[in-house]
């Protein structure tokens, strides 16, 4: 019998990666994880990317804009001739009791967490389908898989992202394009730490429900994003994968 080839669990060198919200947090850690494997990185973020290596393509703009998203993909086309991995990651929270949620709050979260994700998926799909290859990732959340009080816009959009990627996985899988989502638990990023500072979230309570008894690090999520871009993940499609220290498994409070 011929020897079984070793598993390849890293993205191929030179992978062309597009990431929204890559200036900070999970997006930034994912850019670094891919870059450590000699990937080519393009970031679309509404804030500037600090301390980026010279060869990253950093574009300031909003993932909520079809025009700016398309322009960022077009810049990748010009520089590297296309995209291999597109990560629709930018998102925001609006933690408020539902009766206090304004229409503007609601719309802002929908625009970024749902429409923005769709726009990135569509721009990526238009390029990947004719080539017959590619990976699209989105950041859902544990709150896309379950619900929680005072998070109406967030839970609604993150659940919608989960079903959006399943739908795209069905449509685009036959064309060689995989579409998956990661559902992070509580991760120590600016988004979560701002809510902790405001007293909206409590670190001790978040840890208490997490069997691994700590919050996630952005690198914990980046590791999954990088694995999904590896040859070892070739049969993973239409999946919404929790990376949460066991939070989802625990039915306890908070
Ligand atoms: N941190 C967590 O605990 C957690 C848990 C589950 C899911 N998530 C999701 O992970 C994703 C990343 O969040 P994070 O925790 O890394 O947050 P973060 O605040 O550290 O980073 C978010 C990034 O998105 C950028 N951004 C915001 N609006 C944008 C826009 N309109 N266009 C382009 N970029 C924009 C910000 O400038 C920032 O760089 C979000 O979708 C979030 O909902 C986070």
């Amino acid at each position: 019998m011929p020897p079984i080839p070793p598993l390849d669990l890293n993205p191929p060198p030179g992978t062309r990666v597009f990431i929204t919200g890559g200036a900070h947090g999970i997006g930034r850690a994912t850019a670094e994880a891919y870059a450590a494997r000699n990937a080519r990185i393009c970031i679309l973020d509404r804030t500037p990317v600090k301390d980026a290596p010279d060869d990253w393509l950093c574009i300031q703009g909003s993932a909520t804009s079809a025009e700016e998203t398309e322009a960022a993909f077009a810049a990748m086309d010009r520089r590297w001739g296309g995209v291999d991995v597109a990560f629709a990651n930018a998102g925001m929270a609006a933690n408020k009791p539902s009766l206090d949620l304004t229409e503007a709050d609601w719309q802002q979260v929908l625009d970024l967490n749902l429409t923005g994700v769709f726009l990135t998926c569509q721009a990526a799909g238009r390029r990947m389908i004719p080539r017959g290859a590619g990976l699209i990732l989105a950041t859902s959340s544990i709150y896309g898989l379950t619900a929680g009080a005072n998070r109406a816009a967030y839970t609604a959009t993150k659940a919608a992202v989960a079903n959006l990627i399943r739908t795209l996985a069905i449509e685009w899988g036959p064309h060689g394009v995989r579409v998956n989502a990661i559902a992070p638990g509580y991760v120590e990023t600016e988004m979560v730490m701002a809510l902790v500072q405001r007293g909206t979230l409590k670190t001790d309570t978040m840890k208490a429900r997490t069997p691994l008894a700590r919050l996630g690090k952005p690198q914990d999520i980046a590791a999954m994003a990088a694995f999904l871009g590896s040859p070892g993940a070739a049969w993973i499609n239409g999946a919404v994968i929790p990376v949460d220290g066991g939070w989802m498994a625990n039915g306890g409070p908070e």
Side-chain angles (χ1 to χ4, degrees):
M1 244 180 50
I4 298 168
L7 271 178
D8 188 351
L9 303 178
N10 289 307
T15 300
R16 299 162 297 184
V17 187
F18 174 88
I19 303 176
T20 65
H24 299 99
I26 291 167
R28 175 72 191 231
T30 301
E32 285 170 7
Y34 271 92
R37 297 284 158 190
N38 296 318
R40 292 172 280 182
I41 307 296
C42 174
I43 288 174
L44 174 65
D45 201 294
R46 66 169 183 186
T47 61
V49 185
K50 292 198 184 117
D51 307 320
D54 290 342
D55 57 350
W56 288 16
L57 183 54
C58 298
I59 296 167
Q60 205 170 339
S62 179
T64 61
S65 158
E67 218 179 342
E68 290 171 21
T69 302
E70 176 55 33
F73 276 96
M76 279 186 89
D77 294 340
R78 286 193 299 276
R79 187 172 292 190
W80 298 314
V83 58
D84 302 301
V85 176
F87 188 16
N89 163 73
M92 63 182 291
N95 289 48
K96 278 185 184 178
S98 295
L99 292 181
D100 298 340
L101 205 62
T102 65
E103 190 182 348
D105 292 331
W106 173 262
Q107 197 57 54
Q108 216 188 348
V109 178
L110 254 74
D111 285 348
L112 182 59
N113 291 14
L114 184 53
T115 306
V117 169
F118 177 69
L119 293 173
T120 286
C121 291
Q122 199 181 44
R126 283 180 178 144
R127 288 164 169 82
M128 292 172 178
I129 289 167
R131 243 181 355 109
L135 167 69
I136 298 172
L137 294 176
T139 310
S140 177
S141 168
I142 46 174
Y143 285 113
L145 298 169
T146 187
N150 305 324
R151 295 164 167 86
Y154 193 77
T155 57
T157 53
K158 292 298 183 179
V161 164
N163 235 15
L164 170 64
I165 73 94
R166 292 184 189 109
T167 303
L168 299 180
I170 298 164
E171 281 187 45
W172 297 351
H175 302 281
V177 177
R178 293 183 297 120
V179 191
N180 293 293
I182 301 173
Y186 285 109
V187 179
E188 276 177 33
T189 64
E190 283 169 33
M191 189 179 96
V192 159
M193 289 311 156
L195 293 170
V196 169
Q197 261 162 18
R198 256 186 268 150
T200 311
L201 292 177
K202 292 196 171 34
T203 311
D204 286 350
T205 326
M206 291 185 282
K207 282 186 191 167
R209 177 165 170 177
T210 307
L212 290 181
R214 67 166 174 87
L215 300 193
K217 298 183 186 69
Q219 291 77 6
D220 291 320
I221 311 305
M224 176 57 74
F227 163 65
L228 288 169
S230 76
W235 214 48
I236 302 178
N237 188 36
V240 183
I241 304 171
V243 181
D244 65 354
W247 190 96
M248 279 297 300
N250 186 357
E254 292 282 291

